[in-house]
Amino acid sequence: MHRDFTKSNKEYFKKNKIAIIVLSVFLIVGILIGSIFGFKENFEFAGYSEFTVKVGSEADNNAIIKNITQIVNDYGGDFDTASIYDVGDNTRIVIRYSNQLNEDKQNEITTAIITKLNIEESAVSEHVNVSPIVSTKDYVYTACAILILIVLVSIFAYFRYNGASALSIIISSIIGTLSFLSIGAILRLTIGASYFAMIVALNVLIMYSNIAIFEEIKSTNWLSNSDYASAINHGVKNSKFKLCALNIAVLIMGLLFVLFAPSALKYVSLNIMFIAVVALAVALYVVPFVWSVFITHCKKPKLSVKVSGEKDSSVDNNQLDK
Amino acid sequence: MTKKRSRFLFALFTIILVVLLVATFVNFTYPFSINGRYYTYSSFVSNIKLGEDISDSYRFVYRAELPDSNTASSNYDELKQSTMNSLADIVSSEGYRDVTVSQYSQGEEDYIVVTVGNILTIDDENSIKNLIGNPATISFSMSENIEDSFAGAQDVANVGSGSQYDSSTGETYNYISIEFKDANKIAEATEGGGTLYIFLGDSLAFGNGITIESAITNGYIAINLGSSENADGSTYNPTLEDAKTYANQIRVGLLPLSLTQVDGASITASYGVGSDLLLYIAIIIFVIATFVYLIVKYKEMGLVACFNLLFFITLSMFLLQSIPYVHINFAGIIGIVLAYIVTVESLISILERAKAHYLNDNKLYIAFRLAQKESLARTFMINLLFVVAGFICLFMPSMGIQSFGWAIFVLPFVGVLCSLAIMRLFIKMYLAFNNTDAKKLNFHKGGKNA
């Protein structure tokens, strides 16, 4: 059977011109910024600097917090914390800077602490420059984990659906991951160990979207009597509600974390919102893009698809499409 | 299902749910005493171990130096890294999670920082202090004089501890096993037999030596910790814990660098005081929002779905606190939320399919039967995806990703159970009361389709 692939490509480009251009520009800018400036790493990767200050237990904690916050703001980076806790007769304050400070900076901050808190020099008992907790090993391991996941799910998709689905999972996961990394690079978001967990979460969401769409196509036996382009249109159209519901739920959760979480977590929580946006964009734009542009060129496989459910009451394709 | 049976099952499940909710969220003291002592019940939620980023942790700072300060070592950095890796292993092997080991330099001195998250009691603090704080350098000699030692810490490959039952005497022995790097060295030293003396530090350990009848050729010795007499005449029987403590002391003594504790302090969460509480508030709001959505969108069936989700929450918390390796930090919380969202989505998927089938002129019970049947493969597939992803994450070096992995590895099992098995039963129970009035489920004919 001859199919006019060029026509479906052109149609797809025509309908989604703006989305494709925006995504392409965004990806190019993100990759460029990421490659030139790298990522902004938090203390887990960059190491940190910590000052410990001992003050009397009768000290006014609120006043200390106010002054310490001022010092952190004056001399700090983006991921700084100040913690106060009681040990025996003393209250100890730990101020953590997200980078390792040189000696001049250390002296500057020590002087600021002494002046602001009106304490003896000896009370600033400890200053340490701590090396990174997480090594580059984590980068490599996370990349391997995602790779293994993509390979496993693609193999599964190949056998359950077809080669086109496997290809779709691979390409959409790569584009999704690059988009998420681009957001981090462009917005200069602080990257910690949680960021890696979110990359894994993003890939799981993208694969989830793919599987939801393919299941829709498979369960309605759409591909057996139409081409790839209309099959994916049908799949996306009928899965749209579920995919939107899922990703909007993740987005709301991220928003709640941004609103309620402590300041240091707000940056991390922003990433939850971004994974929802990227996963939804990939499901609604990238998957059909991959199918329409790349997969329509593939030879249509013979599918052994059965319509699930009872025949007399199964949902009619046209009915579902409404 | 008859109405009577359905009513009975609803009552039964409500009672079970109330009990589970109390067990999950409420800490209380039992209203009765046992042997005059009142015990406290800890809820599932409070038993879940939290990572150091959202809960308190304990930090130990050690000054690290070469065992002999006069000796310069060209591979000092390697020795330091090896010491750090071994420390992480030793503390983790004691069952503590969220262990991070880092280092810093101040002037000419090097410090190693061991941070252990989720320390629950003062006993834990002391246990770790004793674990790392009392290193014992081991040496082996065939005479009572330590100067004659033929092997030391550098010759030991591995140290272990265990228990063995002797069927001939009917007794159980606790032992320490020592494996040598070079089997020939110990074979040569013990060739003529005699007594093997083991020193921990400068003191003779394990009684008056071990009688060796023939050469030890396999490079492995097991030392039985027999009973001994205390100063007051009572008998002291070393336990397996004692064997473990000895083994750990020896393992710390094997570290390439010698460590001196200079500081130990509890520190608050990386994300600040009360970060866990703020996260819980965000999660509670989110859960309430999903409940409201389900009830508004599906009315009575939404209520049934919420009932089901409460089972998901309580069973999830039960599982997370039951598995000893699970500890939850911020990434883990994201995993829990994700698993919850997927379960909600599975329920919505069933209800939306049921709605579509109902609008396609099927009766309510047929619509639900078809919806569940069609959702079966999809729900399995999606949850399998999470299980596989979670399983891979468990092998990551970062505690954060491991925590995320545990959440998405464990909870999909509960998700499948709730969204397929329990929901199926609840739908059956509900349809016994109402299998005709679709308005009560918001399934209007002519309403917007899925």
Side-chain angles (χ1 to χ4, degrees):
Chain A
M1 188 182 77
H2 173 77
R3 281 177 295 140
D4 187 358
F5 296 129
T6 323
K7 192 181 164 196
S8 67
N9 282 353
K10 271 185 185 165
E11 272 177 4
Y12 184 83
F13 273 113
K14 208 173 158 187
K15 279 184 185 170
N16 301 284
K17 201 164 55 186
I18 296 171
I20 292 167
I21 292 169
V22 167
L23 183 68
S24 309
V25 170
F26 174 74
L27 272 178
I28 293 166
V29 172
I31 291 168
L32 276 176
I33 291 180
S35 342
I36 296 167
F37 300 106
F39 291 98
K40 191 176 177 185
E41 295 165 324
N42 81 358
F43 71 91
E44 290 160 309
F45 295 93
Y48 60 92
S49 246
E50 204 173 84
F51 293 85
T52 304
V53 184
K54 285 179 186 167
V55 289
S57 57
E58 70 283 356
D60 179 354
N61 280 359
N62 289 331
I64 292 173
I65 290 172
K66 198 177 161 193
N67 285 319
I68 290 288
T69 310
Q70 183 67 45
I71 296 167
V72 169
N73 288 340
D74 289 348
Y75 296 95
D78 286 333
F79 194 89
D80 302 323
T81 57
S83 322
I84 295 185
Y85 52 92
D86 296 319
V87 180
D89 293 334
N90 284 312
T91 296
R92 292 164 67 111
I93 306 160
V94 174
I95 307 166
R96 183 180 281 182
Y97 282 86
S98 57
N99 47 349
Q100 297 190 52
L101 304 169
N102 60 31
E103 208 167 321
D104 292 343
K105 196 85 175 168
Q106 287 169 27
N107 294 335
E108 221 176 304
I109 294 171
T110 307
T111 312
I113 293 170
I114 292 165
T115 319
K116 283 266 179 192
L117 298 183
N118 195 20
I119 52 173
E120 298 285 324
E121 192 173 345
S122 58
V124 184
S125 61
E126 197 182 308
H127 166 259
V128 295
N129 265 344
V130 180
S131 306
I133 296 164
V134 181
S135 65
T136 44
K137 194 164 80 172
D138 288 70
Y139 283 109
V140 180
Y141 271 63
T142 311
C144 290
I146 293 169
L147 208 65
I148 294 169
L149 188 63
I150 292 173
V151 169
L152 286 178
V153 178
S154 304
I155 293 171
F156 165 79
Y158 177 80
F159 286 109
R160 182 164 171 81
Y161 312 109
N162 53 33
S165 317
L167 192 63
S168 172
I169 285 176
I170 294 169
I171 297 175
S172 57
S173 295
I174 292 170
I175 294 178
T177 307
L178 286 176
S179 308
F180 184 60
L181 291 174
S182 298
I183 293 175
I186 292 169
L187 299 181
R188 310 304 297 152
L189 293 174
T190 313
I191 289 169
S194 305
Y195 192 79
F196 290 143
M198 284 189 222
I199 295 177
V200 179
L202 169 74
N203 276 279
V204 172
L205 282 178
I206 290 173
M207 289 167 194
Y208 176 103
S209 308
N210 273 286
I211 291 177
I213 294 168
F214 305 150
E215 279 296 316
E216 188 62 44
I217 297 170
K218 186 177 166 75
S219 67
T220 51
N221 201 16
W222 196 276
L223 196 51
S224 62
N225 48 25
S226 73
D227 61 12
Y228 283 112
S230 50
I232 198 66
N233 283 340
H234 161 77
V236 172
K237 204 171 175 183
N238 287 296
S239 310
K240 204 182 260 178
F241 173 75
K242 291 167 212 155
L243 297 178
C244 287
L246 175 84
N247 288 297
I248 287 171
V250 177
L251 191 77
I252 291 171
M253 192 65 242
L255 186 68
L256 284 170
F257 277 166
V258 171
L259 291 176
F260 285 90
S263 58
L265 257 179
K266 289 189 195 302
Y267 293 99
V268 191
S269 306
L270 264 178
N271 288 317
I272 304 177
M273 297 175 72
F274 291 136
I275 62 169
V277 173
V278 172
L280 189 61
V282 166
L284 299 184
Y285 292 100
V286 179
V287 175
F289 171 78
V290 172
W291 278 64
S292 303
V293 178
F294 295 106
I295 296 170
T296 45
H297 294 278
C298 301
K299 192 180 165 192
K300 197 179 165 193
K302 284 180 185 171
L303 287 176
S304 55
V305 186
K306 279 195 291 186
V307 179
S308 59
E310 293 176 11
K311 200 181 174 186
D312 60 340
S313 45
S314 62
V315 183
D316 174 54
N317 287 338
N318 297 326
Q319 183 69 35
L320 271 170
D321 237 7
K322 277 177 192 173
Chain B
M1 191 181 286
T2 60
K3 265 190 187 177
K4 193 180 169 188
R5 187 174 161 76
S6 173
R7 204 170 288 132
F8 167 75
L9 283 175
F10 261 126
L12 181 70
F13 275 101
T14 308
I15 293 167
I16 293 172
L17 183 62
V18 170
V19 172
L20 277 174
L21 283 171
V22 171
T24 305
F25 296 107
V26 186
N27 294 322
F28 58 88
T29 305
Y30 290 107
F32 51 84
S33 64
I34 300 169
N35 294 332
R37 191 176 163 185
Y38 284 90
Y39 288 87
T40 304
Y41 170 79
S42 295
S43 64
F44 299 160
V45 169
S46 56
N47 279 340
I48 294 175
K49 299 172 191 73
L50 296 177
E52 64 165 297
D53 57 351
I54 51 171
S55 75
D56 292 349
S57 58
Y58 206 90
R59 184 181 64 184
F60 303 86
V61 182
Y62 297 93
R63 187 171 45 244
E65 52 200 352
L66 286 163
D68 182 352
S69 54
N70 295 323
T71 318
S73 177
S74 57
N75 59 347
Y76 179 72
D77 286 341
E78 279 176 32
L79 295 179
K80 194 159 65 178
Q81 193 54 50
S82 158
T83 304
M84 288 168 67
N85 294 343
S86 302
L87 271 177
D89 284 347
I90 292 168
V91 181
S92 302
S93 71
E94 283 291 294
Y96 294 102
R97 309 300 298 171
D98 232 12
V99 180
T100 52
V101 181
S102 56
Q103 55 91 25
Y104 67 91
S105 302
Q106 202 163 29
E108 298 208 334
E109 290 184 329
D110 277 331
Y111 295 88
I112 291 180
V113 182
V114 180
T115 310
V116 186
N118 204 51
I119 288 189
L120 299 173
T121 64
I122 195 83
D123 288 343
D124 287 333
E125 287 177 22
N126 291 334
S127 157
I128 295 174
K129 268 183 204 163
N130 291 334
L131 180 67
I132 312 173
N134 298 312
T137 312
I138 196 165
S139 43
F140 304 85
S141 172
M142 291 305 284
S143 78
E144 283 187 65
N145 189 354
I146 192 170
E147 301 295 325
D148 300 333
S149 64
F150 63 87
Q154 70 281 3
D155 299 303
V156 176
N158 204 6
V159 183
S161 59
S163 268
Q164 194 171 28
Y165 177 72
D166 186 344
S167 56
S168 60
T169 60
E171 287 183 35
T172 303
Y173 297 99
N174 298 311
Y175 66 88
I176 297 167
S177 61
I178 299 172
E179 192 186 341
F180 289 85
K181 287 176 186 164
D182 182 3
N184 291 332
K185 199 168 187 177
I186 180 118
E188 278 169 25
T190 57
E191 200 172 8
T195 306
L196 173 67
Y197 295 93
I198 300 174
F199 295 87
L200 289 179
D202 294 333
S203 319
L204 186 59
F206 312 120
N208 295 318
I210 303 156
T211 307
I212 307 287
E213 285 170 3
S214 59
I216 299 166
T217 52
N218 59 0
Y220 175 90
I221 56 171
I223 306 159
N224 280 339
L225 300 179
S227 58
S228 58
E229 205 169 273
N230 289 330
D232 61 358
S234 59
T235 310
Y236 166 64
N237 288 308
T239 60
L240 182 59
E241 277 305 306
D242 293 327
K244 214 170 159 185
T245 307
Y246 269 129
N248 275 323
Q249 280 183 345
I250 298 169
R251 287 177 73 192
V252 176
L254 300 183
L255 295 174
L257 299 183
S258 73
L259 303 174
T260 315
Q261 187 178 342
V262 292
D263 188 27
S266 61
I267 49 174
T268 51
S270 316
Y271 294 134
V273 183
S275 53
D276 49 346
L277 181 68
L278 293 167
L279 290 173
Y280 295 149
I281 291 172
I283 292 170
I284 290 168
I285 293 173
F286 180 69
V287 169
I288 291 172
T290 51
F291 281 18
V292 171
Y293 173 80
L294 285 168
I295 294 169
V296 169
K297 186 145 175 74
Y298 304 107
K299 289 186 175 175
E300 289 184 359
M301 200 46 91
L303 266 176
V304 173
C306 294
F307 198 58
N308 188 16
L309 283 172
L310 285 173
F311 271 97
F312 172 82
I313 293 168
T314 51
L315 293 176
S316 300
M317 294 303 117
F318 170 72
L319 261 186
L320 289 177
Q321 61 98 42
S322 312
I323 301 171
Y325 296 106
V326 177
H327 66 291
I328 297 299
N329 53 27
F330 181 61
I333 287 182
I334 297 170
I336 295 173
V337 171
L338 215 54
Y340 173 80
I341 290 173
V342 167
T343 306
V344 173
E345 199 272 342
S346 298
L347 295 176
I348 290 177
S349 173
I350 294 174
L351 297 178
E352 281 299 316
R353 278 176 186 273
K355 190 174 174 179
H357 283 296
Y358 175 74
L359 295 179
N360 204 32
D361 287 336
N362 285 296
K363 288 184 175 170
L364 262 185
Y365 71 93
I366 292 178
F368 274 107
R369 203 172 69 192
L370 289 170
Q372 286 172 59
K373 208 171 172 183
E374 285 168 13
S375 302
L376 199 71
R378 185 176 169 278
T379 308
F380 264 120
M381 225 78 73
I382 304 287
N383 284 289
L384 182 68
L385 171 70
F386 274 73
V387 170
V388 172
F391 184 72
I392 294 171
C393 288
L394 296 184
F395 297 96
M396 296 291 105
S398 158
M399 286 292 167
I401 305 181
Q402 276 184 27
S403 171
F404 175 76
W406 274 113
I408 63 167
F409 176 69
V410 171
L411 300 192
F413 292 102
V414 187
V416 168
L417 178 77
C418 289
S419 53
L420 294 179
I422 298 181
M423 188 62 184
R424 187 185 168 91
L425 180 67
F426 285 172
I427 288 173
K428 265 187 180 178
M429 283 155 57
Y430 175 80
L431 290 177
F433 289 105
N434 171 29
N435 61 10
T436 50
D437 190 355
K439 277 184 186 168
K440 286 185 178 175
L441 314 179
N442 232 359
F443 287 5
H444 299 300
K445 287 274 183 192
K448 206 179 173 191
N449 202 345

